[in-house]
Every structure is written in structure tokens, then in C-alpha cells.
Amino acid sequence: MTASVEYIPVTPIEYPDENGKPMAEGDIQFSYLAYGINTLQIYFQNDPDVYVAGNLFIYYEKGYPESVVAPDVFVVFGVENRDRRSYKTWEENNQIPNFVLEITSKTTRSKDQGAKKGIYAFLGVREYFQYDPTGDYLNPQLQGLQLVDGNYFPVATNILPGGTLSLSSEVLGLELRLEAGKLRFYNPATGQTLVTHEEEATARQAAEEKAQRLAAKVRELNIDPDSL
């Protein structure tokens, strides 16, 4: 007699790409989330082995889709710079984010200060920064942590002339600055603040309009501006 073996299909494990929740709590949080992602993508655009993303699910244990975290902004070194629907560490040679930035608020502070902070330390995220754009609970509004022997310690804060607060990111080679309450990335090598494509276009248009007004004033004096 031949014994029959019942075939039980194995249901593949699903790793969702989204949870149906909005990217950010409000417009202010979203604007800085977008600023962080866009400026860092521009900054690293010529490096094929640096991946910049944000509000993307990071799965860090194969077979356990509940082991997931979604940083607002993160940077991973040593992986291909390409589009992804989610980030699975076991498919990326176990590379985890080197830098994380959370745009935090009253409703997210418990996770940002508790669960997420613990997960980032467990994973080995070298730098973890938090920015509170509305100043609801972080004082100062911009703070950074650096991982040392598995524990996070505060990144030194510098106060620049004019009252601007500055924190250095060794991972990025940039400074995170708080200018009149607004978060900005600053490149100390060039002395320039990082801007998005939209901000660059707006500044260029404003400069062109100013030049046109100046040329019109010069013509009123019967002077050809092209001769200057």
C-alpha cells in the first residue's frame, strides 16, 4: 500500500510597501522631510554606491515582516543607488542605514525617542538626528546622537555668530544647522547651504528679475547696461 502525502502549500511571506498612513503629520513636517530627501539625493547624486530615501519601509529580519521601521530620511553607504519599493537588509548585503533623520512632533515623539531609537541602536545606525520644526517638545529643536559601543551619545552642539545652531555629521561630512528655527544642511567644504532643485530655480529666477530691474534703471539714465 502506497501512503499518500498531503501537499500543504506554503504561503509566501508578504512585506508591504505601505501602511496607508500619510507620509508626515502635516505640511510643515512634510516640507522638511522632502527637503532632507531631495537635498541629500542631489548631494550624493554622482555616487552610485550611496542610497538616499525616506518614509520607506526597512525590513531588518527575513521572515518577520513585523520587524520593520520607516525613517523619515536615511542614507545607506555601500549599496546601489536605485529605486526601491522597500528596503530589505538581507537583499542588500546586510547593509543598514548609516544616517537617520526623523522630523518629529508631539504625536511621534514617543516612538522617535523610544522604539525607533532602540531599533536604530540595535541595527547599528551610526548617527540619529531629530528635528522638531514646530518646537513642541525638543529644546533645542535640532538634536543629534552618535552610536558608541552600542549606545547613543549626544552630538556636540556649536552656536555660530548670529545664534545659528550647528551639529556636525561625521557620516555625511555635512553640518545640520538650525537657522531661525529652520533646518538646513550645510557643506563646510564649499561654504554653501544645500538647496533643492525648486529652491535653486526660485533663487535663479529672483536673481534674473533683479538684474532686469537694475538694467531698466540703468537705461533710464541713458546708459546701455551691456556696455558696463
Side-chain angles (χ1 to χ4, degrees):
M1 180 178 178
T2 303
S4 62
V5 178
E6 181 182 1
Y7 172 72
I8 302 176
V10 178
T11 303
I13 296 174
E14 294 186 3
Y15 300 91
D17 298 325
E18 58 183 357
N19 59 7
K21 296 181 180 180
M23 290 181 66
E25 181 181 338
D27 292 339
I28 295 177
Q29 284 79 12
F30 177 78
S31 66
Y32 286 106
L33 185 154
Y35 169 79
I37 295 172
N38 292 340
T39 54
L40 292 178
Q41 285 180 337
I42 295 170
Y43 180 69
F44 288 110
Q45 63 185 340
N46 295 323
D47 195 326
D49 296 320
V50 178
Y51 177 57
V52 178
N55 199 53
L56 193 81
F57 281 172
I58 297 177
Y59 291 98
Y60 52 89
E61 289 189 22
K62 187 176 182 179
Y64 297 90
E66 65 275 10
S67 297
V68 61
V69 66
D72 287 335
V73 182
F74 66 92
V75 180
V76 189
F77 292 91
V79 299
E80 184 182 359
N81 179 13
R82 60 177 176 81
D83 291 338
R84 295 167 172 83
R85 295 183 61 86
S86 64
Y87 187 95
K88 303 179 181 70
T89 58
W90 58 91
E91 294 181 355
E92 308 287 349
N93 198 29
N94 293 317
Q95 293 291 97
I96 50 90
N98 302 88
F99 171 92
V100 164
L101 168 67
E102 293 288 357
I103 312 300
T104 190
S105 67
K106 272 186 177 180
T107 58
T108 64
R109 63 180 179 179
S110 60
K111 287 185 178 180
D112 295 339
Q113 296 278 40
K116 280 191 170 182
K117 180 180 175 182
I119 291 172
Y120 296 149
F122 167 74
L123 293 177
V125 176
R126 286 177 55 193
E127 291 182 342
Y128 175 34
F129 282 77
Q130 295 179 68
Y131 170 55
D132 177 10
T134 57
D136 286 329
Y137 82 97
L138 277 187
N139 185 22
Q141 291 172 251
L142 176 64
Q143 300 182 14
L145 298 170
Q146 191 174 52
L147 196 67
V148 179
D149 296 329
N151 295 303
Y152 278 126
F153 294 89
V155 173
T157 299
N158 298 312
I159 304 299
L160 305 178
T164 294
L165 183 148
S166 176
L167 292 84
S168 294
S169 168
E170 294 181 3
V171 169
L172 302 180
L174 299 171
E175 294 178 15
L176 283 77
R177 292 187 171 185
L178 191 64
E179 300 178 352
K182 296 182 178 180
L183 171 67
R184 287 293 180 262
F185 285 97
Y186 176 83
N187 187 349
T190 63
Q192 295 180 330
T193 298
L194 304 192
V195 296
T196 64
H197 289 306
E198 291 78 8
E199 289 174 330
E200 183 180 17
T202 299
R204 184 168 57 249
Q205 181 179 355
E208 291 173 354
E209 292 175 352
K210 181 178 180 180
Q212 291 172 1
R213 291 194 298 269
L214 179 61
K217 289 292 184 180
V218 171
R219 290 190 184 95
E220 290 177 1
L221 300 174
N222 295 319
I223 299 175
D224 181 4
D226 293 331
S227 65
L228 298 177

